Amino acid sequence: MQTHEARLSALRKQLAKDGLDGFVIPISDEHMSEYVGAYAQRLEWLTGFGGSAGTAVVLADKAAIFVDGRYTLQVRDQVDGALWSYESVPQTSVAAWLAEHAPEGAKIGYDAWLHAKGWADGVAQALDARGGVLSPVVANPVDTVWQDQPAPSLAPAVPHADEHAGKSAHEKRAEVAEWLAARGLDAAVVSALDSVAWLLNIRGADVDRTPVALSFVIAHADGTADLFIAPEKVTPELTAHLGNAVRVQPREAFVPALEALKGRKVAVDPERAVAAIFHALERAGAKIVAVTDPVVLPKAIKNPVEQAGHRAAQARDGAAIARFLRWVEVEAPKGSVTELAAADRLQAFRAETGLLRDLSFDTISGAGPNGAVVHYRVSEETSRTLERNSVYLVDSGGQYLDGTTDITRTVWVGPDAPPPEVKDRFTRVLKGHIALARAVFPKGTAGSQLDSFARQFLWAAGLDYAHGTGHGVGSFLAVHEGPQRIAKAAGGQAGTGQELMPGMILSNEPGYYKTGEYGIRIENLVLVERREIAGAEGEFCGFETLTFAPIARDLVDVSLLSSEELGWLNAYHAQVRSVLAPQLAGAELAWLEAACASL
């Protein structure tokens, strides 16, 4: 097996052979996905970095890897600092780094199927100032030197029943056609995998943890659509589901189909469509209208059937979480439970529901200092024992046909009482969680306007966390779904300006992380709902909490809670007991009763 140093050396030799002075390697695929199939894990293969967001740049004499605050610790654990310099985003960027480090007149390669057009334009501009160029490659040089690169998945695409979708694919296509007609557009390119899945009511198994099928769609103003997908993935059941209004073509026909749109007005999403799609349409002479994919907002606003499905999935998932938390409380103090064993046990509890299709992401099972790594991914090499008298953080989720779950709980592994500092930090995180859960806000409020609700009690103590407070969640789709999010608005982060609208589902997950010692996060999913307020002047919204599982009572410093906050926590635990008790029995039910007792 090649070392990462040998892989970097092989890539540099290939770049020289291709006449390139450098190359940019993102974590991405042809659909701008957050989580990608094994074949597209080029950055991990080259560097060893296993996070879900990052980019590398390789020059002849230096190389850099760029990650945001979630991965500051992880990148140093996984990537050799002798080979790569660590660069922090948004403090710097690929464009800024190349402007400083690329040789004068450099030719830097990039794969136009893996980057957004806006990114490419920005980097090209930075290089131009040094007399250099950003050049799209015909063949990705990483693929050339990656000798055992997996092939893209050929798992079948399958129909997603209307009983779970809540709306037929025919209705969805008709709504997109109406959207196109209202704007005088002829077609829309739908390239994000979860948008394709939602629009056509199909699911797949091509990306770990996200039930999507590798494919593209061109939706037309007459309500028809073209689906571009590997023929091996198409079954008679899928063909019957799609009907005559959806023309099924091989993936290789996608670029020719784009080029056939000459003279047509075509909607393309600059955030979700790769640069190569824009290039093909530009070559053809199509009239490109850069606009958000028309599927994104309808997908984010869950219909009543999807909302009901989420509630059912959350109730089922919460019972599995409760069983797991009891198991940790009983077994971990014995000193033999590892992070990997805990993650496996949690997956087993979910699987025992009989309805689990997959996890919604790799479980973050972080004991002690590993819990301080925000997006920690446990492995055989890193797995720690849940030590006595330490903090354990577990962030996990399940994929069910009726909903996608995502929950974080932080617990104290006894037998001794937790120290005052840990209780203080936990309670400040809890106070922020409660403040966001109880928030009432006028129609038109964006996620960035609510972010400080969750941070205020940490800020008051001179503390903060380096991740967003909330992300959108799909319906048996992506666990991270836009356009809505709750985060600081700095840096123009996508989604922070999006209005929070009734029907949207988001996470509520403030945290605190003490490097080298422990991490704390409390995460529930919430549904935006309309709120009727007597005498209100205008429309107002609030959140319905969807996630039900006990919050660690022994980590709460009750003296730091207001009467309203204590009332919320006790009422929440009463709901947890009501939702989960019918699914538990015996010792597990007794444990739940104690875990949900009023404080």
Side-chain angles (χ1 to χ4, degrees):
M1 180 179 170
Q2 277 184 312
T3 64
H4 290 110
E5 184 175 11
R7 293 172 183 180
L8 180 58
S9 176
L11 178 59
R12 283 184 164 134
K13 289 175 183 174
Q14 185 62 42
L15 296 182
K17 188 183 297 185
D18 293 345
L20 296 171
D21 298 299
F23 189 68
V24 183
I25 306 98
I27 300 173
S28 186
D29 62 9
E30 301 86 343
H31 309 274
M32 299 293 292
S33 305
E34 177 182 18
Y35 298 114
V36 300
Y39 79 97
Q41 292 283 3
R42 298 174 179 90
L43 187 66
E44 184 171 23
W45 177 84
L46 181 64
T47 70
F49 176 64
S52 63
T55 306
V57 180
V58 175
L59 301 178
D61 60 345
K62 56 177 66 75
I65 184 164
F66 300 76
V67 298
D68 62 36
R70 296 172 294 173
Y71 300 108
T72 301
L73 300 179
Q74 182 177 339
V75 73
R76 284 162 173 77
D77 288 340
Q78 295 179 333
V79 179
D80 188 346
L83 302 175
W84 302 86
S85 68
Y86 308 121
E87 305 294 335
S88 297
V89 176
Q91 290 83 351
T92 188
S93 66
V94 170
W97 190 88
L98 283 170
E100 181 179 350
H101 296 283
E104 291 285 342
K107 183 180 181 182
I108 305 297
Y110 83 109
D111 188 335
W113 284 100
L114 302 179
H115 294 275
K117 183 175 184 295
W119 176 93
D121 291 344
V123 174
Q125 186 175 5
L127 287 169
D128 184 61
R130 294 177 66 87
V133 295
L134 183 69
S135 178
V137 296
V138 175
N140 191 309
V142 175
D143 296 350
T144 304
V145 299
W146 187 358
Q147 295 176 351
D148 57 351
Q149 182 181 22
S153 165
L154 293 177
V158 298
H160 185 56
D162 290 1
E163 68 179 281
H164 298 305
K167 185 180 290 186
S168 72
H170 172 78
E171 291 175 278
K172 293 176 179 180
R173 291 197 319 274
E175 289 176 4
V176 171
E178 188 177 323
W179 182 91
L180 290 167
R183 289 158 180 77
L185 303 175
D186 298 300
V189 176
V190 181
S191 56
L193 295 177
D194 60 338
S195 289
V196 171
W198 187 89
L199 177 63
L200 299 183
N201 284 349
I202 62 174
R203 297 295 188 267
D206 293 341
V207 177
D208 286 346
R209 315 311 192 199
T210 309
V212 291
L214 294 171
S215 52
F216 296 97
V217 161
I218 299 176
H220 301 277
D222 63 0
T224 66
D226 293 284
L227 171 65
F228 303 89
I229 187 169
E232 296 89 342
K233 304 172 69 61
V234 180
T235 64
E237 183 187 18
L238 181 71
T239 302
H241 165 74
L242 293 172
N244 296 332
V246 179
R247 296 170 289 272
V248 180
Q249 303 187 52
R251 272 177 71 100
E252 294 75 28
F254 179 54
V255 171
L258 293 173
E259 293 171 340
L261 293 171
K262 179 178 182 179
R264 303 288 183 87
K265 293 182 73 173
V266 184
V268 190
D269 189 336
E271 286 186 25
R272 294 169 180 82
V274 294
I277 290 173
F278 284 88
H279 295 166
L281 290 168
E282 288 164 356
R283 285 195 306 270
K287 297 173 182 175
I288 299 173
V289 178
V291 64
T292 300
D293 167 357
V295 170
V296 167
L297 199 55
K299 173 165 55 68
I301 299 172
K302 307 299 182 278
N303 62 50
V305 170
E306 290 172 319
Q307 293 178 29
H310 264 279
R311 292 187 187 97
Q314 299 290 347
R316 180 187 317 125
D317 200 67
I321 291 288
R323 297 178 68 202
F324 170 74
L325 292 175
R326 174 186 174 272
W327 178 85
V328 169
E329 185 175 297
V330 171
E331 298 297 328
K334 298 176 183 177
S336 60
V337 175
T338 65
E339 293 171 344
L340 276 175
D344 289 345
R345 193 70 193 92
L346 176 52
Q347 183 167 358
F349 280 126
R350 283 191 165 106
E352 285 169 18
T353 66
L355 295 172
L356 183 72
R357 292 305 182 97
D358 194 359
L359 300 182
S360 56
F361 55 97
D362 290 336
T363 298
I364 298 171
S365 178
N370 286 344
V373 181
V374 176
H375 275 206
Y376 172 66
R377 188 167 75 175
V378 61
S379 66
E380 294 284 356
E381 295 74 32
T382 65
S383 182
R384 294 175 59 93
T385 298
L386 277 61
E387 296 176 358
R388 291 157 60 95
N389 301 319
S390 68
V391 177
Y392 173 58
L393 182 155
V394 58
D395 185 350
S396 67
Q399 291 283 11
Y400 304 92
L401 283 175
D402 49 1
T404 298
T405 69
D406 183 1
I407 175 174
T408 307
R409 288 296 183 265
T410 305
V411 299
W412 176 253
V413 178
D416 296 346
E421 180 192 279
V422 172
K423 292 185 69 171
D424 175 88
R425 302 304 190 254
F426 183 91
T427 308
R428 289 179 185 277
V429 171
L430 176 60
K431 285 166 71 72
H433 179 96
I434 293 171
L436 189 56
R438 297 178 65 221
V440 177
F441 47 93
K443 183 180 185 297
T445 298
S448 58
Q449 294 172 274
L450 299 182
D451 184 70
S452 59
F453 281 46
R455 297 180 192 267
Q456 57 183 311
F457 304 102
L458 289 164
W459 285 352
L463 310 169
D464 199 6
Y465 50 93
H467 60 76
T469 300
H471 57 82
V473 177
S475 286
F476 189 44
L477 272 178
V479 73
H480 292 161
E481 177 181 88
Q484 73 277 22
R485 67 195 304 258
I486 300 171
K488 296 177 182 178
Q493 292 171 304
T496 52
Q498 168 64 47
E499 173 188 351
L500 300 185
M501 304 169 72
M504 288 179 168
I505 292 175
L506 300 103
S507 63
N508 171 3
E509 52 178 312
Y512 170 75
Y513 311 91
K514 188 170 185 179
T515 301
E517 295 195 31
Y518 60 87
I520 293 166
R521 190 160 61 250
I522 302 169
E523 178 186 17
N524 286 342
L525 298 188
V526 295
L527 172 71
V528 182
E529 61 177 2
R530 283 195 171 83
R531 282 288 168 84
E532 297 297 328
I533 302 174
E537 297 179 356
E539 293 181 34
F540 278 74
C541 297
F543 295 119
E544 173 194 340
T545 295
L546 297 173
T547 305
F548 293 104
I551 293 170
R553 294 164 70 257
D554 59 344
L555 284 172
V556 178
D557 182 344
V558 177
S559 71
L560 292 178
L561 295 182
S562 69
S563 59
E564 291 83 2
E565 290 165 340
L566 185 59
W568 182 94
L569 182 60
N570 287 334
Y572 174 73
H573 274 145
Q575 282 185 288
V576 171
R577 187 168 55 245
S578 173
V579 171
L580 303 188
Q583 305 176 69
L584 303 175
E588 291 175 338
L589 178 57
W591 177 88
L592 179 73
E593 295 286 352
C596 293
S598 291
L599 282 169

